[in-house]
Amino acid sequence: AQSVTQPDIHITVSEGASLELRCNYSYGATPYLFWYVQSPGQGLQLLLKYFSGDTLVQGIKGFEAEFKRSQSSFNLRKPSVHWSDAAEYFCAVAAYSGAGSYQLTFGKGTKLSVIP
Amino acid sequence: KAGVTQTPRYLIKTRGQQVTLSCSPISGHRSVSWYQQTPGQGLQFLFEYFSETQRNKGNFPGRFSGRQFSNSRSEMNVSTLELGDSALYLCASSNRGEGGTQYFGPGTRLLVL
C-alpha cells in the first residue's frame, strides 16, 4: 500500500527566508505526486504536481518541488517566504485503483509559521 | 469555471442524528471523492463516485454512505452520529484525464454534540 511521510509537524521561518518542506513517499510504481496548501478552516488548494519528465516542477505562488526517485522524496521549496504563506502543507501520492480511478493518500501535513 | 462547492459550510448535530452533506463538482468533472479531516487522523479517504457508481471506498463503517446523481453532484450521509464524527468533510472533483489530480471544495465543518 502507498504511504506518505512528512517528517516535520511544524516549521517556523522568518519572512524572506528560504523554505524547504520534506516529503517521502512509498509506492510500488511510478508515482504521481502532489503538494496542497490549506489555510485555516479552508479546503485544499493545489500548489503543484509531478507526473513525469522534468524532476523539478514549478507551481503557483512561487513554489517548486523536486522529485528524487532514488530518495523517494518530493520536497517543496520556496526561495523567499511571505507572511501569507503561513498555512498547512500536505504532500500526496496518487495510486491507480483501476478503471481510470486514482486514490490520493496524504501525509499528516506540515504547519508553517512565518515570523515577521 | 466555478470551483467545487459544498453545502452547508457549518453544521451542528447531536449524537444519534443523521446528516447529509452536498457537493457540486467543477463543471465537466464526473468523479467526486470525499475525505474526512480530523486533527488526530489527518485526511482520510471515504469514497469515490464516478458515473453514479461508487468506485472506491475507504475504511469507514457502514454509517457513512454516499451517492452521485446524473449531473455528477454528490451527497454523503452519516447516520447515527457519534462524537468522533466531528470533522471537516472535504469533497474533491477530478477529470479522469488528469492522472488523479483532485480539486477540493471549502469543506463542511460538522460538530457533533
Side-chain angles (χ1 to χ4, degrees):
Chain A
Q2 66 277 7
S3 65
V4 175
T5 302
Q6 293 180 246
D8 304 306
I9 296 173
H10 191 185
I11 284 182
T12 301
V13 300
S14 298
E15 191 168 16
S18 63
L19 171 70
E20 183 169 29
L21 302 182
R22 296 182 292 165
C23 171
N24 293 97
Y25 68 91
S26 174
Y27 184 56
T30 301
Y32 291 169
L33 296 161
F34 306 83
W35 276 100
Y36 286 87
V37 61
Q38 184 179 35
S39 298
Q42 300 299 313
L44 276 67
Q45 181 183 20
L46 179 66
L47 283 175
L48 48 77
K49 58 187 177 184
Y50 171 79
F51 287 169
S52 64
D54 194 350
T55 56
L56 186 64
V57 293
Q58 302 297 321
I60 62 171
K61 305 186 179 188
F63 285 93
E64 65 178 27
E66 186 172 13
F67 170 63
K68 293 185 177 180
R69 185 185 299 276
S70 62
Q71 298 177 21
S72 297
S73 69
F74 189 55
N75 294 349
L76 182 71
R77 301 194 294 244
K78 186 169 185 178
S80 177
V81 170
H82 188 262
W83 64 266
S84 60
D85 294 324
E88 191 156 19
Y89 292 80
F90 293 91
C91 180
V93 63
Y96 186 66
S97 52
S101 283
Y102 291 84
Q103 184 172 325
L104 287 185
T105 298
F106 287 87
K108 294 290 190 184
T110 298
K111 184 175 181 181
L112 174 66
S113 296
V114 180
I115 301 173
Chain B
K1 278 186 181 178
V4 178
T5 58
Q6 292 188 244
T7 56
R9 291 293 310 278
Y10 304 93
L11 210 46
I12 300 176
K13 293 285 187 179
T14 56
R15 277 182 301 174
Q17 287 187 310
Q18 75 165 14
V19 66
T20 299
L21 311 181
S22 181
C23 171
S24 292
I26 292 171
S27 177
H29 287 190
R30 295 171 59 198
S31 178
V32 173
S33 298
W34 288 90
Y35 295 84
Q36 181 195 65
Q37 185 178 27
T38 59
Q41 299 299 315
L43 281 153
Q44 294 185 283
F45 171 75
L46 281 157
F47 29 65
E48 180 206 4
Y49 284 85
F50 177 77
S51 291
E52 303 177 60
T53 302
Q54 188 180 90
R55 302 292 177 160
N56 285 300
K57 190 178 190 317
N59 188 26
F60 278 82
R63 300 185 296 108
F64 291 81
S65 63
R67 59 178 177 169
Q68 187 180 35
F69 302 94
S70 58
N71 61 358
S72 296
R73 189 177 70 85
S74 177
E75 289 181 349
M76 69 163 281
N77 182 274
V78 188
S79 63
T80 319
L81 283 166
E82 301 177 358
L83 296 180
D85 297 332
S86 294
L88 181 66
Y89 290 88
L90 292 163
C91 167
S93 75
S94 62
N95 179 340
R96 288 197 158 198
E98 287 194 69
T101 306
Q102 296 187 9
Y103 301 89
F104 285 79
T108 294
R109 173 75 63 184
L110 172 65
L111 178 61
V112 182
L113 302 175

Short mmCIF file of all heavy atoms in Angstrom, two decimals, chain B residues 33-84:
data_model
loop_
_atom_site.label_atom_id
_atom_site.label_comp_id
_atom_site.label_asym_id
_atom_site.label_seq_id
_atom_site.Cartn_x
_atom_site.Cartn_y
_atom_site.Cartn_z
N SER B 33 -14.78 12.67 -4.97
CA SER B 33 -14.25 11.92 -3.82
C SER B 33 -14.57 12.68 -2.54
O SER B 33 -14.64 13.91 -2.54
CB SER B 33 -12.74 11.73 -3.93
OG SER B 33 -12.40 10.97 -5.07
N TRP B 34 -14.70 11.94 -1.46
CA TRP B 34 -14.96 12.54 -0.15
C TRP B 34 -13.86 12.15 0.81
O TRP B 34 -13.38 11.01 0.80
CB TRP B 34 -16.30 12.04 0.39
CG TRP B 34 -17.50 12.60 -0.31
CD1 TRP B 34 -18.13 12.08 -1.40
CD2 TRP B 34 -18.24 13.77 0.04
NE1 TRP B 34 -19.21 12.86 -1.75
CE2 TRP B 34 -19.30 13.89 -0.87
CE3 TRP B 34 -18.12 14.72 1.06
CZ2 TRP B 34 -20.23 14.93 -0.81
CZ3 TRP B 34 -19.04 15.75 1.14
CH2 TRP B 34 -20.09 15.85 0.20
N TYR B 35 -13.50 13.12 1.68
CA TYR B 35 -12.47 12.90 2.69
C TYR B 35 -12.97 13.43 4.03
O TYR B 35 -13.70 14.41 4.10
CB TYR B 35 -11.18 13.64 2.34
CG TYR B 35 -10.51 13.14 1.09
CD1 TYR B 35 -10.90 13.58 -0.16
CD2 TYR B 35 -9.46 12.22 1.16
CE1 TYR B 35 -10.29 13.13 -1.32
CE2 TYR B 35 -8.84 11.75 0.01
CZ TYR B 35 -9.26 12.22 -1.21
OH TYR B 35 -8.65 11.76 -2.36
N GLN B 36 -12.50 12.79 5.09
CA GLN B 36 -12.72 13.28 6.44
C GLN B 36 -11.39 13.79 6.98
O GLN B 36 -10.38 13.11 6.86
CB GLN B 36 -13.23 12.15 7.34
CG GLN B 36 -13.52 12.59 8.77
CD GLN B 36 -13.67 11.43 9.73
OE1 GLN B 36 -12.72 10.69 9.96
NE2 GLN B 36 -14.86 11.26 10.29
N GLN B 37 -11.39 14.99 7.54
CA GLN B 37 -10.16 15.54 8.11
C GLN B 37 -10.36 15.84 9.58
O GLN B 37 -11.25 16.60 9.97
CB GLN B 37 -9.74 16.82 7.38
CG GLN B 37 -8.39 17.36 7.86
CD GLN B 37 -7.96 18.60 7.12
OE1 GLN B 37 -8.78 19.36 6.61
NE2 GLN B 37 -6.66 18.81 7.03
N THR B 38 -9.53 15.22 10.41
CA THR B 38 -9.54 15.48 11.84
C THR B 38 -8.12 15.75 12.31
O THR B 38 -7.16 15.31 11.67
CB THR B 38 -10.09 14.27 12.63
OG1 THR B 38 -9.26 13.13 12.34
CG2 THR B 38 -11.52 13.98 12.26
N PRO B 39 -7.95 16.46 13.44
CA PRO B 39 -6.60 16.74 13.92
C PRO B 39 -5.82 15.46 14.24
O PRO B 39 -4.62 15.40 14.02
CB PRO B 39 -6.84 17.57 15.19
CG PRO B 39 -8.18 18.20 14.97
CD PRO B 39 -8.97 17.18 14.20
N GLY B 40 -6.48 14.45 14.71
CA GLY B 40 -5.78 13.24 15.10
C GLY B 40 -5.44 12.31 13.95
O GLY B 40 -4.35 11.74 13.90
N GLN B 41 -6.36 12.14 13.03
CA GLN B 41 -6.19 11.17 11.95
C GLN B 41 -5.78 11.79 10.63
O GLN B 41 -5.43 11.08 9.68
CB GLN B 41 -7.48 10.38 11.74
CG GLN B 41 -7.92 9.58 12.95
CD GLN B 41 -6.90 8.55 13.35
OE1 GLN B 41 -6.36 7.84 12.48
NE2 GLN B 41 -6.60 8.45 14.63
N GLY B 42 -5.83 13.12 10.53
CA GLY B 42 -5.48 13.76 9.28
C GLY B 42 -6.55 13.58 8.22
O GLY B 42 -7.73 13.44 8.55
N LEU B 43 -6.11 13.54 6.98
CA LEU B 43 -7.03 13.39 5.85
C LEU B 43 -7.22 11.91 5.53
O LEU B 43 -6.27 11.21 5.18
CB LEU B 43 -6.47 14.09 4.62
CG LEU B 43 -6.63 15.59 4.56
CD1 LEU B 43 -5.52 16.22 3.74
CD2 LEU B 43 -7.99 15.94 3.98
N GLN B 44 -8.46 11.45 5.63
CA GLN B 44 -8.75 10.06 5.36
C GLN B 44 -9.79 9.95 4.25
O GLN B 44 -10.82 10.64 4.27
CB GLN B 44 -9.25 9.36 6.62
CG GLN B 44 -8.20 9.26 7.71
CD GLN B 44 -8.73 8.44 8.89
OE1 GLN B 44 -9.51 8.92 9.71
NE2 GLN B 44 -8.31 7.19 8.94
N PHE B 45 -9.52 9.07 3.31
CA PHE B 45 -10.39 8.87 2.16
C PHE B 45 -11.65 8.11 2.58
O PHE B 45 -11.57 7.07 3.23
CB PHE B 45 -9.61 8.09 1.09
CG PHE B 45 -10.42 7.62 -0.07
CD1 PHE B 45 -10.82 8.50 -1.05
CD2 PHE B 45 -10.76 6.29 -0.20
CE1 PHE B 45 -11.56 8.08 -2.14
CE2 PHE B 45 -11.49 5.83 -1.29
CZ PHE B 45 -11.89 6.74 -2.26
N LEU B 46 -12.79 8.64 2.17
CA LEU B 46 -14.07 7.98 2.46
C LEU B 46 -14.53 7.14 1.27
O LEU B 46 -14.69 5.93 1.39
CB LEU B 46 -15.14 9.03 2.78
CG LEU B 46 -15.10 9.60 4.20
CD1 LEU B 46 -15.77 10.96 4.25
CD2 LEU B 46 -15.78 8.64 5.17
N PHE B 47 -14.79 7.77 0.16
CA PHE B 47 -15.20 7.06 -1.05
C PHE B 47 -15.11 7.95 -2.27
O PHE B 47 -14.97 9.16 -2.17
CB PHE B 47 -16.63 6.48 -0.94
CG PHE B 47 -17.58 7.21 -0.05
CD1 PHE B 47 -17.98 8.51 -0.33
CD2 PHE B 47 -18.08 6.61 1.10
CE1 PHE B 47 -18.85 9.19 0.50
CE2 PHE B 47 -18.96 7.27 1.94
CZ PHE B 47 -19.33 8.56 1.64
N GLU B 48 -15.16 7.29 -3.44
CA GLU B 48 -15.14 7.97 -4.72
C GLU B 48 -16.33 7.52 -5.55
O GLU B 48 -16.66 6.32 -5.56
CB GLU B 48 -13.86 7.67 -5.50
CG GLU B 48 -13.82 8.39 -6.86
CD GLU B 48 -12.95 7.70 -7.89
OE1 GLU B 48 -12.42 6.61 -7.62
OE2 GLU B 48 -12.82 8.24 -8.99
N TYR B 49 -16.95 8.46 -6.23
CA TYR B 49 -18.04 8.15 -7.13
C TYR B 49 -17.70 8.62 -8.54
O TYR B 49 -17.10 9.68 -8.73
CB TYR B 49 -19.35 8.82 -6.67
CG TYR B 49 -19.97 8.10 -5.51
CD1 TYR B 49 -19.57 8.38 -4.21
CD2 TYR B 49 -20.90 7.09 -5.70
CE1 TYR B 49 -20.12 7.70 -3.13
CE2 TYR B 49 -21.45 6.40 -4.63
CZ TYR B 49 -21.04 6.71 -3.35
OH TYR B 49 -21.56 6.02 -2.29
N PHE B 50 -18.08 7.80 -9.50
CA PHE B 50 -17.92 8.15 -10.91
C PHE B 50 -19.10 7.55 -11.65
O PHE B 50 -19.42 6.38 -11.46
CB PHE B 50 -16.60 7.60 -11.46
CG PHE B 50 -16.40 7.85 -12.93
CD1 PHE B 50 -16.02 9.11 -13.37
CD2 PHE B 50 -16.59 6.84 -13.85
CE1 PHE B 50 -15.84 9.35 -14.72
CE2 PHE B 50 -16.40 7.08 -15.21
CZ PHE B 50 -16.03 8.34 -15.63
N SER B 51 -19.73 8.36 -12.48
CA SER B 51 -20.91 7.90 -13.24
C SER B 51 -21.93 7.23 -12.34
O SER B 51 -22.42 6.14 -12.65
CB SER B 51 -20.47 6.94 -14.36
OG SER B 51 -19.76 7.62 -15.35
N GLU B 52 -22.22 7.86 -11.24
CA GLU B 52 -23.25 7.44 -10.30
C GLU B 52 -22.94 6.11 -9.59
O GLU B 52 -23.83 5.53 -8.95
CB GLU B 52 -24.61 7.35 -11.00
CG GLU B 52 -25.04 8.65 -11.67
CD GLU B 52 -26.34 8.53 -12.44
OE1 GLU B 52 -27.36 8.21 -11.81
OE2 GLU B 52 -26.32 8.75 -13.67
N THR B 53 -21.70 5.65 -9.70
CA THR B 53 -21.32 4.37 -9.10
C THR B 53 -20.16 4.59 -8.14
O THR B 53 -19.22 5.33 -8.45
CB THR B 53 -20.91 3.36 -10.18
OG1 THR B 53 -21.98 3.19 -11.09
CG2 THR B 53 -20.51 2.03 -9.56
N GLN B 54 -20.21 3.94 -7.00
CA GLN B 54 -19.08 4.00 -6.07
C GLN B 54 -17.94 3.16 -6.61
O GLN B 54 -18.10 1.96 -6.84
CB GLN B 54 -19.49 3.51 -4.68
CG GLN B 54 -18.43 3.74 -3.62
CD GLN B 54 -18.87 3.22 -2.26
OE1 GLN B 54 -18.63 2.06 -1.90
NE2 GLN B 54 -19.52 4.07 -1.50
N ARG B 55 -16.78 3.79 -6.81
CA ARG B 55 -15.65 3.09 -7.42
C ARG B 55 -14.64 2.62 -6.39
O ARG B 55 -13.97 1.62 -6.57
CB ARG B 55 -14.94 4.02 -8.42
CG ARG B 55 -15.84 4.52 -9.52
CD ARG B 55 -16.27 3.41 -10.48
NE ARG B 55 -17.19 3.89 -11.50
CZ ARG B 55 -17.41 3.26 -12.64
NH1 ARG B 55 -16.79 2.13 -12.90
NH2 ARG B 55 -18.27 3.75 -13.49
N ASN B 56 -14.49 3.40 -5.34
CA ASN B 56 -13.53 3.07 -4.28
C ASN B 56 -14.14 3.43 -2.95
O ASN B 56 -14.96 4.36 -2.85
CB ASN B 56 -12.22 3.86 -4.45
CG ASN B 56 -11.37 3.33 -5.57
OD1 ASN B 56 -10.95 2.18 -5.56
ND2 ASN B 56 -11.11 4.17 -6.54
N LYS B 57 -13.72 2.73 -1.92
CA LYS B 57 -14.22 3.01 -0.59
C LYS B 57 -13.09 2.90 0.41
O LYS B 57 -12.28 1.97 0.33
CB LYS B 57 -15.32 2.01 -0.23
CG LYS B 57 -16.07 2.37 1.04
CD LYS B 57 -17.18 1.34 1.29
CE LYS B 57 -18.13 1.74 2.40
NZ LYS B 57 -17.54 2.30 3.60
N GLY B 58 -13.04 3.82 1.34
CA GLY B 58 -12.05 3.78 2.40
C GLY B 58 -12.52 2.92 3.55
O GLY B 58 -13.57 2.27 3.50
N ASN B 59 -11.75 2.94 4.62
CA ASN B 59 -12.02 2.07 5.75
C ASN B 59 -12.89 2.79 6.79
O ASN B 59 -12.42 3.15 7.87
CB ASN B 59 -10.69 1.62 6.37
CG ASN B 59 -10.89 0.57 7.42
OD1 ASN B 59 -11.88 -0.17 7.39
ND2 ASN B 59 -9.96 0.49 8.36
N PHE B 60 -14.12 2.98 6.46
CA PHE B 60 -15.08 3.62 7.36
C PHE B 60 -16.28 2.70 7.55
O PHE B 60 -16.60 1.90 6.68
CB PHE B 60 -15.54 4.97 6.78
CG PHE B 60 -14.59 6.10 7.03
CD1 PHE B 60 -13.48 6.28 6.22
CD2 PHE B 60 -14.80 6.98 8.08
CE1 PHE B 60 -12.58 7.31 6.46
CE2 PHE B 60 -13.92 8.01 8.33
CZ PHE B 60 -12.81 8.18 7.51
N PRO B 61 -16.95 2.83 8.70
CA PRO B 61 -18.12 1.97 8.94
C PRO B 61 -19.27 2.28 7.98
O PRO B 61 -19.29 3.31 7.33
CB PRO B 61 -18.50 2.29 10.38
CG PRO B 61 -17.89 3.62 10.67
CD PRO B 61 -16.65 3.71 9.84
N GLY B 62 -20.21 1.36 7.94
CA GLY B 62 -21.34 1.48 7.03
C GLY B 62 -22.25 2.67 7.30
O GLY B 62 -23.10 2.99 6.48
N ARG B 63 -22.05 3.31 8.47
CA ARG B 63 -22.84 4.51 8.76
C ARG B 63 -22.55 5.63 7.76
O ARG B 63 -23.35 6.55 7.61
CB ARG B 63 -22.52 5.04 10.17
CG ARG B 63 -22.80 4.07 11.30
CD ARG B 63 -22.58 4.71 12.65
NE ARG B 63 -21.19 5.11 12.87
CZ ARG B 63 -20.78 6.39 12.87
NH1 ARG B 63 -21.64 7.38 12.65
NH2 ARG B 63 -19.51 6.68 13.10
N PHE B 64 -21.41 5.53 7.12
CA PHE B 64 -21.02 6.53 6.13
C PHE B 64 -21.40 6.00 4.75
O PHE B 64 -20.96 4.92 4.34
CB PHE B 64 -19.51 6.77 6.18
CG PHE B 64 -19.05 7.47 7.42
CD1 PHE B 64 -18.84 6.76 8.60
CD2 PHE B 64 -18.83 8.84 7.43
CE1 PHE B 64 -18.42 7.40 9.76
CE2 PHE B 64 -18.40 9.49 8.57
CZ PHE B 64 -18.20 8.76 9.75
N SER B 65 -22.19 6.77 4.04
CA SER B 65 -22.62 6.35 2.71
C SER B 65 -22.67 7.57 1.80
O SER B 65 -22.62 8.71 2.26
CB SER B 65 -23.99 5.67 2.77
OG SER B 65 -24.97 6.60 3.23
N GLY B 66 -22.81 7.29 0.53
CA GLY B 66 -22.87 8.40 -0.40
C GLY B 66 -23.65 8.02 -1.63
O GLY B 66 -24.08 6.85 -1.79
N ARG B 67 -23.81 8.98 -2.50
CA ARG B 67 -24.40 8.70 -3.79
C ARG B 67 -24.04 9.84 -4.74
O ARG B 67 -23.61 10.91 -4.30
CB ARG B 67 -25.92 8.56 -3.69
CG ARG B 67 -26.66 9.77 -3.15
CD ARG B 67 -28.16 9.50 -3.16
NE ARG B 67 -28.93 10.59 -2.58
CZ ARG B 67 -30.26 10.69 -2.67
NH1 ARG B 67 -30.94 9.76 -3.32
NH2 ARG B 67 -30.90 11.70 -2.12
N GLN B 68 -24.21 9.55 -6.01
CA GLN B 68 -23.94 10.56 -7.02
C GLN B 68 -25.10 10.59 -7.99
O GLN B 68 -25.66 9.54 -8.35
CB GLN B 68 -22.63 10.24 -7.77
CG GLN B 68 -22.21 11.35 -8.72
CD GLN B 68 -20.92 11.04 -9.45
OE1 GLN B 68 -20.65 9.89 -9.78
NE2 GLN B 68 -20.12 12.07 -9.70
N PHE B 69 -25.44 11.78 -8.41
CA PHE B 69 -26.56 11.97 -9.31
C PHE B 69 -26.09 12.08 -10.76
O PHE B 69 -24.89 12.20 -11.03
CB PHE B 69 -27.35 13.21 -8.89
CG PHE B 69 -27.85 13.15 -7.47
CD1 PHE B 69 -27.11 13.70 -6.43
CD2 PHE B 69 -29.04 12.50 -7.17
CE1 PHE B 69 -27.55 13.62 -5.11
CE2 PHE B 69 -29.49 12.41 -5.85
CZ PHE B 69 -28.75 12.97 -4.83
N SER B 70 -27.03 12.08 -11.66
CA SER B 70 -26.68 12.08 -13.09
C SER B 70 -25.96 13.37 -13.50
O SER B 70 -25.26 13.40 -14.51
CB SER B 70 -27.94 11.87 -13.94
OG SER B 70 -28.89 12.88 -13.67
N ASN B 71 -26.13 14.44 -12.73
CA ASN B 71 -25.42 15.69 -13.06
C ASN B 71 -24.08 15.77 -12.34
O ASN B 71 -23.46 16.83 -12.30
CB ASN B 71 -26.28 16.90 -12.69
CG ASN B 71 -26.60 16.97 -11.20
OD1 ASN B 71 -26.20 16.07 -10.44
ND2 ASN B 71 -27.30 18.00 -10.79
N SER B 72 -23.63 14.66 -11.78
CA SER B 72 -22.35 14.50 -11.07
C SER B 72 -22.34 15.08 -9.66
O SER B 72 -21.37 14.87 -8.93
CB SER B 72 -21.18 15.07 -11.85
OG SER B 72 -20.99 14.36 -13.05
N ARG B 73 -23.37 15.78 -9.28
CA ARG B 73 -23.44 16.24 -7.89
C ARG B 73 -23.48 15.03 -6.97
O ARG B 73 -23.99 13.96 -7.33
CB ARG B 73 -24.68 17.10 -7.68
CG ARG B 73 -24.75 17.81 -6.33
CD ARG B 73 -25.98 18.69 -6.23
NE ARG B 73 -27.22 17.91 -6.16
CZ ARG B 73 -27.74 17.43 -5.04
NH1 ARG B 73 -27.11 17.61 -3.88
NH2 ARG B 73 -28.87 16.75 -5.05
N SER B 74 -22.90 15.20 -5.78
CA SER B 74 -22.82 14.06 -4.87
C SER B 74 -23.28 14.46 -3.47
O SER B 74 -23.20 15.63 -3.09
CB SER B 74 -21.37 13.55 -4.81
OG SER B 74 -21.22 12.50 -3.88
N GLU B 75 -23.78 13.51 -2.77
CA GLU B 75 -24.14 13.68 -1.36
C GLU B 75 -23.49 12.59 -0.55
O GLU B 75 -23.30 11.47 -1.04
CB GLU B 75 -25.66 13.59 -1.17
CG GLU B 75 -26.44 14.77 -1.71
CD GLU B 75 -27.93 14.62 -1.49
OE1 GLU B 75 -28.39 13.52 -1.10
OE2 GLU B 75 -28.65 15.62 -1.69
N MET B 76 -23.14 12.92 0.68
CA MET B 76 -22.74 11.88 1.61
C MET B 76 -23.63 11.97 2.85
O MET B 76 -24.09 13.06 3.22
CB MET B 76 -21.27 11.95 1.99
CG MET B 76 -20.84 13.12 2.84
SD MET B 76 -19.22 12.82 3.63
CE MET B 76 -19.71 11.79 5.00
N ASN B 77 -23.88 10.84 3.42
CA ASN B 77 -24.77 10.74 4.56
C ASN B 77 -24.06 10.01 5.69
O ASN B 77 -23.34 9.02 5.45
CB ASN B 77 -26.03 9.97 4.14
CG ASN B 77 -27.04 9.88 5.28
OD1 ASN B 77 -26.95 8.98 6.11
ND2 ASN B 77 -27.97 10.79 5.31
N VAL B 78 -24.23 10.53 6.87
CA VAL B 78 -23.74 9.83 8.05
C VAL B 78 -24.93 9.60 8.97
O VAL B 78 -25.62 10.55 9.37
CB VAL B 78 -22.65 10.63 8.81
CG1 VAL B 78 -22.04 9.76 9.90
CG2 VAL B 78 -21.58 11.13 7.85
N SER B 79 -25.19 8.35 9.28
CA SER B 79 -26.31 8.02 10.15
C SER B 79 -25.81 7.76 11.57
O SER B 79 -24.62 7.49 11.77
CB SER B 79 -27.04 6.78 9.62
OG SER B 79 -26.17 5.67 9.63
N THR B 80 -26.68 7.85 12.52
CA THR B 80 -26.37 7.59 13.93
C THR B 80 -25.05 8.24 14.33
O THR B 80 -24.06 7.59 14.67
CB THR B 80 -26.31 6.06 14.20
OG1 THR B 80 -27.34 5.39 13.50
CG2 THR B 80 -26.48 5.80 15.69
N LEU B 81 -25.03 9.53 14.28
CA LEU B 81 -23.81 10.30 14.52
C LEU B 81 -23.20 10.00 15.88
O LEU B 81 -23.91 9.83 16.89
CB LEU B 81 -24.11 11.79 14.41
CG LEU B 81 -24.25 12.33 12.98
CD1 LEU B 81 -24.88 13.71 13.00
CD2 LEU B 81 -22.90 12.35 12.28
N GLU B 82 -21.87 9.97 15.89
CA GLU B 82 -21.09 9.81 17.11
C GLU B 82 -20.22 11.05 17.31
O GLU B 82 -19.94 11.78 16.35
CB GLU B 82 -20.21 8.56 17.01
CG GLU B 82 -21.00 7.29 16.79
CD GLU B 82 -20.09 6.07 16.62
OE1 GLU B 82 -18.86 6.23 16.64
OE2 GLU B 82 -20.64 4.96 16.45
N LEU B 83 -19.79 11.26 18.55
CA LEU B 83 -18.96 12.43 18.84
C LEU B 83 -17.72 12.45 17.94
O LEU B 83 -17.28 13.50 17.49
CB LEU B 83 -18.55 12.44 20.30
CG LEU B 83 -19.66 12.59 21.33
CD1 LEU B 83 -19.07 12.58 22.75
CD2 LEU B 83 -20.46 13.87 21.09
N GLY B 84 -17.18 11.28 17.68
CA GLY B 84 -15.97 11.17 16.87
C GLY B 84 -16.17 11.51 15.40
O GLY B 84 -15.18 11.57 14.65
#
